[in-house]
Amino acid sequence: MTTRQILFFLTLARHGSFTKAADELFMTQPGLSYAIKQLEAELDVPLFNRNDKGVTLTRFGETFMPYAESIMSQVKAAADAVAEQKAPLVGKVNITYIVTFTVDIIPNMLRDFYSDERHNRIDIQLTAVQTTAEVIEQLKSGKADVCLSYSRPENTESVRISEQELVLALPHNHPLAERGEVSLRDIDGEPMAFCLSGSQLYKQTMKMFEHDRLSPNIRFCTHDCSAMIAYASLGIGLSIVPHSAVSQNDSVSICHIDNPYRLRDIYISRLQNNNLSHTAQYFFRFCKERYSSRL
């Protein structure tokens, strides 16, 4: 059995006519008929019912059909993969991401990607936004080829590539400042600076409080983690923020939080059935293969 025979089978099944199938394949009708008979002889079953109006699949042909389609799909995928390897690595990739990834996720990703000299002609354009909703809008509008966020947007291929820890930021003179780890019960009732309602950080922080069956005493809400950290440094309100957003900030003390929701996943996503450039596809596959296997 050859891929050529399988192609003949699929073409004949689609047209239901030896004449039309032979025309598409640029071959004679007797030649196509002989090739199909050879395939049937090898399988030792009839694949087509033949009559004056054309051909239809037998029950054996219907069974064979999905396997034949799968084989040809794999053959095409293999050929495309080889062609991509031959193509020069050059072009542009537009990436939109949550601004808190600027400290660690994005620099590490760029370092890993450009450590391969073959990637030096690929231009990565970065756009930082505040919310997951903005990330998704950029991706769906086509402004971003790929995006990094805390969720798996609908109608995307999304791969978990990392995770981010949420920590408690508090002033240096706070009684808990020297503690390496705290529970939310330790700060129950204290004023908090929260991210705006509806944001992913707000939802994740509320999950933490709900898990411990507590209600936060929210004094301020803002969309900016920097503002939350500033409030914490002044003793106006404790804040729960990404560790990466506060790790280099000397104005506050940091405590890890004993709570299962302190970690949140980070995903890289691309739209399904989107005609990405070869370069953007390559970058997405690079991140998928490099980071998902580490988790």
Side-chain angles (χ1 to χ4, degrees):
M1 186 187 306
T2 66
T3 55
R4 186 174 175 81
Q5 288 175 312
I6 295 172
L7 173 63
F8 292 168
F9 165 81
L10 291 173
T11 306
L12 180 58
R14 186 172 71 254
H15 285 291
S17 162
F18 275 101
T19 301
K20 293 179 180 179
D23 287 344
E24 179 178 318
L25 295 167
F26 299 102
M27 62 187 305
T28 64
Q29 183 176 334
L32 175 59
S33 179
Y34 177 74
I36 294 297
K37 287 180 179 178
Q38 281 188 312
L39 179 60
E40 290 176 319
E42 183 174 345
L43 295 173
D44 196 27
V45 293
L47 297 173
F48 293 96
N49 296 308
R50 295 159 172 82
N51 54 54
D52 294 339
K53 296 181 179 180
V55 297
T56 58
L57 288 172
T58 65
R59 62 187 179 92
F60 301 110
E62 290 176 351
T63 299
F64 185 66
M65 171 71 82
Y67 295 98
E69 291 175 332
S70 177
I71 290 169
M72 294 309 297
S73 176
Q74 290 297 311
V75 169
K76 182 180 183 304
D80 289 346
V82 172
E84 286 183 4
Q85 291 296 318
K86 291 165 56 181
L89 293 174
V90 61
K92 181 173 67 174
V93 185
N94 294 305
I95 304 173
T96 297
Y97 61 95
I98 301 292
V99 68
T100 54
F101 300 166
T102 302
V103 177
D104 52 358
I105 301 297
I106 293 298
N108 291 339
M109 183 175 287
L110 295 180
R111 178 202 63 207
D112 293 344
F113 188 71
Y114 284 120
S115 65
D116 188 331
E117 292 183 356
R118 296 177 302 165
H119 302 161
N120 289 341
R121 296 176 64 193
I122 295 177
D123 182 18
I124 295 181
Q125 302 289 317
L126 300 172
T127 302
V129 296
Q130 291 287 344
T131 67
T132 298
E134 291 175 278
V135 170
I136 296 173
E137 188 281 326
Q138 291 260 323
L139 185 67
K140 292 189 174 180
S141 68
K143 295 178 182 177
D145 298 313
V146 299
C147 71
L148 276 70
S149 68
Y150 299 112
S151 66
R152 299 173 182 262
E154 292 182 356
N155 302 316
T156 66
E157 179 185 357
S158 299
V159 181
R160 178 173 173 260
I161 60 170
S162 187
E163 61 185 14
Q164 185 181 71
E165 181 185 9
L166 300 180
V167 296
L168 178 69
L170 63 173
H172 292 306
N173 61 357
H174 192 280
L176 299 175
E178 300 301 320
R179 293 263 297 270
E181 183 177 81
V182 298
S183 73
L184 295 183
R185 295 192 180 279
D186 294 328
I187 60 169
D188 185 24
E190 295 203 35
M192 302 287 299
F194 256 52
C195 199
L196 288 175
S197 175
S199 67
Q200 204 283 336
L201 179 56
Y202 177 91
K203 294 175 183 177
Q204 191 79 8
T205 306
M206 288 302 299
K207 283 183 179 180
M208 296 172 72
F209 277 89
E210 290 166 1
H211 175 270
D212 288 353
R213 299 182 180 180
L214 299 173
S215 296
N217 176 18
I218 303 175
R219 178 170 290 181
F220 299 99
C221 282
T222 176
H223 72 279
D224 188 355
C225 281
S226 297
M228 295 169 65
I229 296 168
Y231 290 146
S233 70
L234 296 172
I236 297 174
L238 308 185
S239 62
I240 294 177
V241 294
H243 187 270
S244 59
V246 72
S247 60
Q248 303 299 320
N249 194 315
D250 296 330
S251 67
V252 292
S253 293
I254 302 171
C255 289
H256 298 283
I257 305 171
D258 181 14
N259 190 286
Y261 292 103
R262 72 187 186 280
L263 298 176
R264 53 182 180 172
D265 294 330
I266 297 173
Y267 299 91
I268 186 170
S269 304
R270 54 159 289 181
L271 288 179
Q272 291 179 345
N273 304 320
N274 186 41
N275 294 322
L276 280 183
S277 67
H278 161 67
T279 306
Q281 291 181 48
Y282 178 88
F283 179 83
F284 182 86
R285 187 165 58 251
F286 170 87
C287 294
K288 178 180 179 179
E289 294 173 354
R290 188 175 188 91
Y291 301 118
S292 63
S293 61
R294 295 181 179 180
L295 299 174

